[in-house]
Amino acid sequence: MIRVTAVHPDSIASELGLREGTELLSVNGRELEDFLDWEFLTAEEEILLHVRQPDGQEIEFEIERPLGEPIGVGLEPARIRRCANRCDFCFVDGLPDGLRDVLYIRDDDYRLSFRYGNFATLTNLKPHDERRIIEYRLSPLYVSVHATDPTVRRYLLRNPTAPEILPQLRHFAEHGIEFHTQIVMSPGVNDGPVLRQTLAELYEFGPAILGCSVVPVGLTEYSKHHLVREPTADECRAAIQLIDERAAIARAGRGVNWAFGADELYLRAGVELPEAEIYAGFDQVENGVGSVRWLQQRIETVSAQLSGWEGKRIAVVTGTAMAQLMPMVLRPLTSITGAEFELIPVVNTLFGPSVTTAGLLPGTAMQRALQGRRDLDLALLPGESVNDDGLFIDSMSLGLLASSVPVEVRLSKDFVDALRVPVAA
Ligand code: SF4
């Protein structure tokens, strides 16, 4: 059963009299479990929909509509699938006490992997889930492999019953499912020969594995430092070498780069980022893989739309990691817009200075950085630092921050989103 949370005006749902609180029970006799069932089972032109109205009345509707016309309901969010692992590097273990409850949930959900590109380990799948992945062709999936060696993988996941990943992927691949994969590199565990073997086995698996990224493990002040550590510059350089070797094989064999390092890996290694061409579709840009090159490309593509900024002073608030790479983006942006950009790297006061990602910056730290800055025309804040409810990780709201600093603030994920409309003169 799925509960309706909103009915769009002038939609099929409003014509039928569905309303907030209506329970969607089945489509064509198939019980509904979540948004996946709803989307896939209602994709037909003709459907039989069984609902229970908030007053308890059950009704069946025969619906016939042009293909693609939505029914017009908002659905309650699916209950997130909990993770079956206990990785030493888990972000949840690295959280301080006192944050929003939802942040302490370890999610590992193949549905969100398909829908949003969240990485999942597939260690909590039941036969029913496997059947749905195949039936609904949930492809591509984003999979955290970490290591193909089952012993190493189980150790990393702290899950002695984790199924072997390669046979699991094989089963899905035989039904047409493809994968983007990642390896979170934990030094001394899955780097070196283990990394070489993992990259080789994933590549040799065949084209169903579309690519593999290597991301250095990231920790906060609160993480389990007695069990896991971040890689050194030398260890990152060694990983880049293995990635380059595998990428050369992939280019020769399949004409694609296939193996990638996260921007963070290059940053820690002190090695220049690869050129944009290697990332092809930027499939893992949300995972920090090719983000800087993607930004540069994006800005160049829409440069004509970024007018009206000549002489303006714009602050770019970001984490200390991105701040090191940001000049590569701000230089072209300056020449395109004629604005003056000031980079404001903000130290993470909630998780400690080792957490350098912009997306985890607390609102209070950014607020402090912008206090008294009347000289600025605009301040750009990292778009990924705010959730769907407009809250930063420390629960400060964007509205509160905006009203407490003397400069207009805008969220931005790629500059273009925030600079299309100039600030008022
Ligand atoms: S898979 Fe590991 S890192 Fe991800 S949520 Fe589970 S325990 Fe945390």
Side-chain angles (χ1 to χ4, degrees):
M1 180 275 288
I2 317 170
R3 192 164 285 110
V4 171
T5 54
V7 174
H8 304 155
D10 303 324
S11 64
I12 295 171
S14 69
E15 268 176 44
L16 296 176
L18 305 192
R19 48 193 192 267
E20 194 182 329
T22 298
E23 294 172 355
L24 306 169
L25 302 175
S26 69
V27 169
N28 299 337
R30 297 241 335 235
E31 275 183 34
L32 296 169
E33 178 183 326
D34 57 23
F35 68 90
L36 282 180
D37 289 331
W38 177 250
E39 288 171 17
F40 283 87
L41 298 176
T42 59
E44 313 270 316
E45 267 175 279
E46 290 176 36
I47 60 165
L48 181 67
L49 172 64
H50 184 191
V51 308
R52 186 185 299 121
Q53 295 289 34
D55 61 8
Q57 187 192 7
E58 291 196 18
I59 313 174
E60 279 195 337
F61 296 108
E62 281 179 39
I63 301 172
E64 205 182 320
R65 70 198 202 281
L67 212 55
E69 184 182 345
I71 305 281
V73 286
L75 305 177
E76 69 181 348
R79 281 232 330 260
I80 299 293
R81 300 292 296 270
R82 302 298 168 104
C83 173
N85 314 309
R86 278 292 178 275
C87 310
D88 293 336
F89 52 79
C90 184
F91 172 71
V92 171
D93 290 325
L95 293 172
D97 293 337
L99 301 178
R100 296 190 297 282
D101 288 349
V102 68
L103 294 170
Y104 298 98
I105 297 174
R106 290 171 213 261
D107 62 286
D108 193 2
D109 199 320
Y110 67 95
R111 301 168 304 176
L112 305 185
S113 173
F114 168 68
R115 171 51 51 83
Y116 301 114
N118 295 8
F119 278 89
T121 65
L122 310 183
T123 52
N124 56 356
L125 297 186
K126 300 195 169 50
H128 168 69
D129 301 318
E130 294 180 358
R131 282 195 296 273
R132 296 180 93 205
I133 289 172
I134 292 166
E135 183 189 349
Y136 294 155
R137 270 188 94 94
L138 304 185
S139 178
L141 290 176
Y142 289 75
V143 180
S144 286
V145 171
H146 302 331
T148 47
D149 180 308
T151 309
V152 178
R153 187 165 192 258
R154 285 176 189 141
Y155 173 83
L156 280 160
L157 298 174
R158 296 278 178 187
N159 181 352
T161 61
E164 285 194 36
I165 189 68
L166 288 176
Q168 205 178 12
L169 297 182
R170 177 71 59 209
H171 173 61
F172 290 128
E174 282 165 0
H175 292 88
I177 310 296
E178 296 180 314
F179 313 95
H180 294 290
T181 59
Q182 75 159 349
I183 296 165
V184 173
M185 187 182 85
S186 180
V189 185
N190 63 342
D191 58 344
V194 176
L195 179 59
R196 176 182 275 119
Q197 179 193 343
T198 301
L199 288 170
E201 291 188 339
L202 290 176
Y203 179 73
E204 284 155 15
F205 183 93
I209 295 185
L210 301 166
C212 180
S213 66
V214 179
V215 182
V217 75
L219 305 174
T220 79
E221 245 175 41
Y222 306 91
S223 298
K224 298 175 175 172
H225 290 275
H226 56 296
L227 296 172
V228 61
R229 64 174 175 83
E230 294 184 342
T232 63
D234 280 347
E235 288 165 337
C236 291
R237 278 193 285 275
I240 290 170
Q241 198 176 335
L242 293 176
I243 293 166
D244 288 347
E245 285 170 19
R246 182 49 53 187
I249 294 169
R251 280 195 300 272
R254 292 187 201 153
V256 290
N257 212 71
W258 192 86
F260 307 93
D263 290 3
E264 176 87 15
L265 190 73
Y266 291 89
L267 191 62
R268 289 187 190 209
V271 171
E272 207 178 311
L273 292 173
E275 291 304 319
E277 293 72 52
I278 74 139
Y279 298 104
F282 288 96
D283 293 317
Q284 292 202 32
V285 71
E286 300 281 341
N287 198 23
V289 179
S291 318
V292 171
R293 296 303 187 201
W294 180 80
L295 274 176
Q296 289 174 322
Q297 266 198 358
R298 175 112 179 92
I299 289 163
E300 206 182 305
T301 314
V302 298
S303 58
Q305 298 170 28
L306 305 180
S307 56
W309 293 99
E310 295 78 12
K312 298 289 185 206
R313 298 203 52 177
I314 304 172
V316 178
V317 179
T318 188
T320 50
M322 203 56 181
Q324 296 172 63
L325 299 171
M326 200 52 88
M328 295 170 71
V329 177
L330 295 185
R331 272 193 295 274
L333 203 53
T334 304
S335 62
I336 287 167
T337 60
E340 187 187 327
F341 288 89
E342 179 188 344
L343 197 53
I344 304 188
V346 173
V347 173
N348 198 310
T349 47
L350 187 65
F351 296 104
S354 69
V355 175
T356 55
T357 339
L360 292 176
L361 281 176
T364 41
M366 291 191 270
Q367 179 194 39
R368 209 168 303 128
L370 293 173
Q371 290 293 342
R373 295 301 309 268
R374 288 189 175 73
D375 55 316
L376 296 168
D377 295 297
L378 177 67
L380 301 181
L381 309 183
E384 62 279 17
S385 61
V386 163
N387 71 4
D388 291 344
D389 299 323
L391 296 176
F392 295 99
I393 190 125
D394 58 354
S395 292
M396 173 179 257
S397 72
L398 176 63
L400 177 61
L401 187 153
S403 63
S404 63
V405 296
V407 53
E408 178 177 339
V409 298
R410 292 182 187 175
L411 292 173
S412 176
K413 285 193 174 167
D414 62 5
F415 294 101
V416 175
D417 51 4
L419 297 181
R420 277 212 169 97
V421 180
V423 285

